[in-house]
Amino acid sequence: MAVSEEVLEHALDLFRDLGRIGTGRMFSGVALYVEEDVMFAMISSSDVIYMKTDPQVQGQFEAAGSEPFWYTRGGDRKQVTSLMSLPDSAMDDPEDAVIWARLSLGPARAAAEKKRAEKARKAARKARQAG
């Protein structure tokens, strides 16, 4: 099942104050990016908006009633606590949604930096092997 166009447009509207937002595929949903490669949120194929978290901010999401992203593989339910649902209070309130998005930017930037560093290591390793 794909993300509905209506939910994608709603999410882009909720987070418009963050600036230019890019999109890309993630799992069976859509990832939302700022600053080119900083994935701060995703929309699942069930049209739920999930925000990037880490152990430092996860508790704040849980306290607001957020649930972790999960999927099923091989009959087993896998939980991804680095993605927590956008609190219900923010679903129709762009100001509140942006507050949660800004909270997600720290973990999102850290994850993007880690990914960039890994790409750089792989490129350097490949260059050494080629040279």
Side-chain angles (χ1 to χ4, degrees), residues 44-103:
S44 70
S45 61
S46 58
D47 289 338
V48 176
I49 300 171
Y50 290 93
M51 310 303 294
K52 185 72 174 164
T53 64
D54 64 11
Q56 287 73 40
V57 300
Q58 182 181 347
Q60 292 174 64
F61 279 88
E62 290 172 338
S66 296
E67 298 285 331
F69 173 72
W70 63 272
Y71 62 96
T72 304
R73 178 180 288 159
D76 293 330
R77 182 177 162 141
K78 309 286 184 182
Q79 188 168 283
V80 182
T81 57
S82 64
L83 291 168
M84 299 291 291
S85 61
L86 180 64
D88 288 342
S89 64
M91 285 302 298
D92 292 315
D93 182 348
E95 288 180 24
D96 198 22
V98 168
I99 290 169
W100 289 103
R102 288 194 173 118
L103 188 60

Side-chain angles (χ1 to χ4, degrees), residues 5-44:
E5 205 53 43
E6 180 181 327
V7 171
L8 176 58
E9 290 302 319
H10 180 67
L12 293 173
D13 189 50
L14 280 175
F15 301 123
R16 72 180 172 275
D17 286 349
L18 294 177
R20 185 185 167 299
I21 298 173
T23 61
R25 294 178 66 174
M26 182 172 188
F27 298 109
S28 297
V30 175
L32 302 179
Y33 296 89
V34 293
E35 303 166 14
E36 300 299 322
D37 65 345
V38 177
M39 193 282 298
F40 73 97
M42 75 160 263
I43 306 168
S44 70

